[in-house]
Amino acid sequence: MDSLASVVASPSTASFSTKIEHTPTAAVISLDDETKARLSRDLRAVSSPYEKLDEVILQIEPLFAALPTYVRRAIRRFATEPGFEGALLIKNLPQDEALPETPPRGKRPVGKVTFVSEAVILGIGQLVGHVFGYTGEKEGEMVHQIAPVRGREKAASNEGSGADFGPHTECGGLPIIPTYLSLYCLRADSANTAATFLVHARDVVERLDPATIEALQKPHFQMRVPESFGGIDVWSEAKPILRGGLDLPEIWYNRDAMRATTPEAEPALEALSRLTADPSIQHGIVLQPGELVLLDNRKTTHGRQPFTPRYDGTDRWLHRIYLRRDLWEGRTFAKGPRLF
Ligand SMILES: O=C(O)CCC(=O)C(=O)O
Ligand SMILES: [Fe+2]
């Protein structure tokens, strides 16, 4: 069975808690050291997921299915309970013994000889859904490298750094949207200030007036389709920004790429933009190496605070994956297995 009893009894982990900590930012759990050591050992020989993704997933699935109950319970609750937090932060995960330089152009790392970090993000991701990619994002890669790119400092995208990257629904302008995304930190930025920040739908609903909420629930908003997908100035179909009951709201929003389609919808969009810019509604997480955050792309929007890269090979480096519970909806435009 699982090692919960031994974890609790073990003197080395006596102060360790298997409970979920609920914070306004995220639900938080931390892997016990014994599990971390075992998983690190088991993941050392994993082959490259950049070559044979499905083989690697098959290889690692049993290892993650065997995680202690407290870990799987938290992940299961995140994926199944509508009232659960929109973010689950998991700490103390296995890391590679050595890392090459942070990929300078956000491409596949060169010289990475172990794939522990990739296995961690894929193995945890597999517990909540199926990983997939887009031909127009990171060249169709399934495991993305998020790192600052020289010359792209001002970009409001994962390649940027100096600009603040406004709150957004991940890939919201596309016809098939990730249910979840996962970020796993390999390196933090040197000043330790590059916070991923979250704006939760339930906080938004709590702080807007009823008339604004009503306007945001109408299908009077469009999101710009990224250039790499649709060309210049292509917009999604018009949809509501807020959906579902106000006790369990869903949000679809992008501060930097959204427009109202009616004059009445405009002030509501402006009110929302003012609110999401308010630091008191933004919950920051400065991810540390070995920390992973699972985000529910319906309950929460996310962005990133500015930071200063050094471009010396030691810059901030995250992996990212996109996950869906089901890939069926994309079948008519799928470009390949797991690829849209
Ligand atoms: O760099 C981050 O913390 C998040 C960037 C982001 O929004 C993303 O990669 O989807
Ligand atoms: Fe994002």
Side-chain angles (χ1 to χ4, degrees), residues 18 23 29 37 98 101 111 119 176 197 211 231 240 243 263 290 292 303 327:
T18 57
T23 79
I29 58 164
E101 295 196 340
I176 186 161
F197 67 86
R243 283 198 302 199
L292 177 147
L327 301 180

Side-chain angles (χ1 to χ4, degrees), residues 137-138 144-147 157-160 165-166 168 170-171 181-183 194-197 285 287 293 295 302-305 307 316 318-320 322:
E137 179 68 17
K138 300 281 180 191
H144 305 156
Q145 318 304 322
I146 306 300
S157 84
N158 68 78
E159 297 180 344
F165 183 12
H168 57 277
E170 192 71 14
C171 301
L181 67 150
S182 179
L183 299 169
T196 308
F197 67 86
I285 304 175
L287 285 171
V293 67
L295 300 179
H302 65 279
R304 195 216 56 246
Q305 306 289 1
F307 66 103
R316 180 174 188 258
L318 312 180
H319 288 321
R320 179 183 67 190
Y322 294 154

Side-chain angles (χ1 to χ4, degrees), residues 64 75 78 86-90 93 117-132 138 142-146 158 170-171 178-186 196 198 285 287 290-297 300 302 316-324:
F64 287 84
I75 296 171
F78 167 80
L88 174 63
L89 177 62
I90 308 180
L93 288 161
S117 55
E118 289 86 348
V120 165
I121 195 168
L122 288 167
I124 300 235
Q126 196 61 21
L127 295 171
V128 302
H130 302 292
V131 63
F132 72 97
K138 300 281 180 191
M142 302 290 155
V143 179
H144 305 156
Q145 318 304 322
I146 306 300
N158 68 78
E170 192 71 14
C171 301
T179 319
Y180 311 108
L181 67 150
S182 179
L183 299 169
Y184 185 46
C185 180
L186 288 78
T196 308
L198 313 180
I285 304 175
L287 285 171
E291 293 184 357
L292 177 147
V293 67
L294 275 168
L295 300 179
D296 189 313
N297 203 28
T300 186
H302 65 279
R316 180 174 188 258
W317 181 9
L318 312 180
H319 288 321
R320 179 183 67 190
I321 58 171
Y322 294 154
L323 297 154
R324 278 183 66 92

